[in-house]
DNA sequence: AATGAGGTCAACCGCCGTCTA
DNA sequence: CTAGACGGCGGTTGACCTCAT
């Protein structure tokens, strides 16, 4: 017996968002800030479910979203965190500034999960003296993996101990301003493929209507955008450390975990991620 | 050139935990 | 204490795209 739907769904728009809808949503959040998703659509003049608005904002329109390909470092981190946390996409996303849980989930399902599945299968074949063709994950050799169980990913991960802390709300990490050479600022390297150019063009139109947002995307200061949009309350606190510092710090923590072995329990490390 | 298979990713759905009256 | 509202999460879907045949 589930809860009643968040909205009646009668007469509501579904499917891909139009540029006009995006504009309405952005303008509303600009004026009133986030929250109150249930009542937001009505007030903003949108024929959308509140959840749909939230999702659109969180996964696409938010100014701090980092677009473009997942970097090898980010991929490494996703793999490591997934091996620790399992499918806790929001937690993993919380450690990847500018990435959304949906994006990471999609990336895992379309790239990594499959890769590790193949790897695991081949690993099992190898143990049986099977194929020599090992298509393991493309893990950077500069990182220390020697303490990693070769079966720590993919299907077998389900049998390894995955820390599953009690579900709780996780306050987002401080979101750092990306520098002008990556992410959205790279322009063409959006997550929209060339085939979606039409859609992209539509949203370019939205951006033309929103100079603040365009300034941000083209290298302006996100804090300007946020403050001008009136959404400066948490979770949008753009503060130090920088993205690179944060990634380094997480790697460092992980390395320490690997080295310390018995000195630092896995649980306490994972718990530290949840803080 | 046509077409079918497979990949990608935005969006939806249902459930859960927390908050509040 | 309870029930409903709300926000958030992970799983899934389906439209659209690319690529191989």
């Amino acid at each position: 017996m589930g809860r009643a739907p968040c909205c009646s769904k009668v007469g509501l728009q579904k499917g891909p968002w139009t540029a006009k809808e995006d504009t309405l949503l952005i303008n509303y959040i600009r004026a009133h800030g986030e929250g109150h998703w249930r009542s937001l659509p009505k007030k903003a003049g949108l024929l959308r479910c509140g959840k749909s608005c939230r999702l659109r904002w969180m996964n696409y329109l938010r100014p701090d979203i980092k677009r473009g390909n997942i970097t090898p470092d980010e991929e490494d981190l996703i793999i490591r965190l997934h091996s620790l946390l399992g499918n806790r996409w929001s937690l993993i996303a919380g450690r990847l500034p500018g990435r959304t849980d949906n994006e990471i989930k999609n990336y895992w399902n379309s790239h990594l999960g499959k890769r590790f599945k193949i790897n695991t299968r081949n690993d099992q074949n190898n143990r049986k003296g099977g194929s020599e063709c090992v298509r393991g994950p493309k893990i950077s050799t500069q990182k220390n993996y020697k303490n990693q169980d070769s079966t720590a990913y993919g299907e077998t991960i389900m049998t390894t101990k995955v820390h599953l802390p009690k579900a709780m709300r996780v306050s987002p990490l401080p979101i750092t301003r990306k520098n002008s050479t990556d992410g959205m600022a790279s322009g063409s390297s959006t997550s929209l493929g060339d085939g979606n150019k039409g859609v992209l063009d539509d949203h370019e139109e939205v951006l033309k209507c929103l100079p603040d947002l365009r300034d941000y995307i083209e290298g302006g200061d996100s804090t300007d955008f946020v403050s001008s949009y009136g959404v400066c309350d948490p979770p949008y606190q753009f503060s130090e450390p920088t993205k690179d510092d944060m990634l380094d710090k997480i790697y460092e923590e992980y390395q320490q975990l690997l080295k310390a072995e018995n000195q630092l329990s896995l649980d306490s490390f994972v718990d530290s991620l949840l803080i």
Side-chain angles (χ1 to χ4, degrees):
Chain A
M1 185 178 70
R3 286 185 46 218
C6 69
C7 50
S8 67
K9 295 177 183 166
V10 177
L12 291 182
Q13 185 86 15
K14 286 176 72 173
W17 280 64
T18 64
K20 189 182 176 184
E21 287 176 311
D22 282 346
T23 306
L24 285 171
L25 181 58
I26 291 170
N27 284 340
Y28 182 86
I29 292 176
R30 175 185 186 179
H32 302 96
E34 286 185 59
H36 310 291
W37 297 108
R38 197 183 178 91
S39 57
L40 184 150
K42 199 173 180 180
K43 292 176 181 174
L46 287 161
L47 288 172
R48 290 274 179 177
C49 166
K51 276 188 163 186
S52 182
C53 295
R54 178 187 159 274
L55 207 66
R56 182 65 178 171
W57 174 255
M58 294 296 197
N59 288 337
Y60 201 89
L61 299 175
R62 240 170 31 173
D64 51 290
I65 297 290
K66 178 183 174 185
R67 304 222 158 262
N69 296 333
I70 301 280
T71 66
D73 276 354
E74 286 175 320
E75 185 181 302
D76 258 8
L77 193 52
I78 291 170
I79 292 164
R80 289 159 178 266
L81 289 172
H82 187 272
S83 72
L84 285 173
L85 301 168
N87 295 356
R88 308 294 296 275
W89 307 117
S90 62
L91 285 178
I92 296 171
R95 296 283 148 175
L96 289 158
R99 300 295 185 184
T100 69
D101 53 354
N102 210 30
E103 186 179 12
I104 290 169
K105 180 171 60 183
N106 282 334
Y107 187 75
W108 180 271
N109 289 336
S110 60
H111 295 88
L112 303 177
K114 198 180 307 166
R115 222 159 71 193
F116 293 138
K117 223 170 189 176
I118 292 167
N119 181 49
T120 302
R121 200 172 298 137
N122 283 327
D123 189 50
Q124 288 166 347
N125 288 342
N126 285 342
R127 290 181 189 185
K128 294 174 190 169
S131 165
E132 289 182 7
C133 172
V134 179
R135 292 172 56 198
K138 293 176 192 168
I139 294 170
S140 164
T141 54
Q142 62 186 338
K143 302 290 189 291
N144 179 7
Y145 284 86
K146 65 179 180 181
N147 287 337
Q148 292 257 6
D149 186 333
S150 62
T151 62
Y153 305 126
E155 288 169 333
T156 53
I157 193 173
M158 295 309 172
T159 61
T160 60
K161 182 179 182 298
V162 174
H163 184 90
L164 292 174
K166 189 180 175 188
M168 57 183 288
R169 295 200 177 174
V170 181
S171 58
L173 285 173
I175 295 172
T176 59
R177 183 195 150 186
K178 58 187 173 30
N179 56 42
S180 59
T181 58
D182 64 8
M184 294 166 81
S186 61
S188 60
S189 63
T190 71
S191 67
L192 295 172
D194 289 341
N196 285 326
K197 197 168 185 319
V199 177
L200 183 60
D201 288 345
D202 283 347
H203 293 287
E204 285 294 308
E205 288 302 312
V206 176
L207 299 183
K208 283 176 191 167
C209 304
L210 296 166
D212 291 345
L213 181 57
R214 175 166 283 283
D215 285 346
Y216 164 68
I217 289 170
E218 292 181 347
D221 192 328
S222 58
T223 54
D224 291 342
F225 171 81
V226 170
S227 57
S228 68
Y229 272 46
V231 290
C232 52
D233 290 335
Y236 296 107
Q237 295 173 332
F238 292 77
S239 58
E240 297 299 327
T242 67
K243 185 202 82 171
D244 289 341
D245 287 345
M246 190 178 299
L247 287 174
D248 287 346
K249 186 171 178 294
I250 295 164
Y251 275 134
E252 206 171 292
E253 289 173 25
Y254 197 89
Q255 296 284 5
Q256 283 173 3
L257 169 68
L258 295 177
K259 285 177 187 169
E261 291 190 346
N262 296 331
Q263 294 173 20
L264 178 64
S265 76
L266 185 59
D267 282 353
S268 64
F269 172 72
V270 175
D271 286 344
S272 74
L273 294 180
L274 299 173
I275 296 171

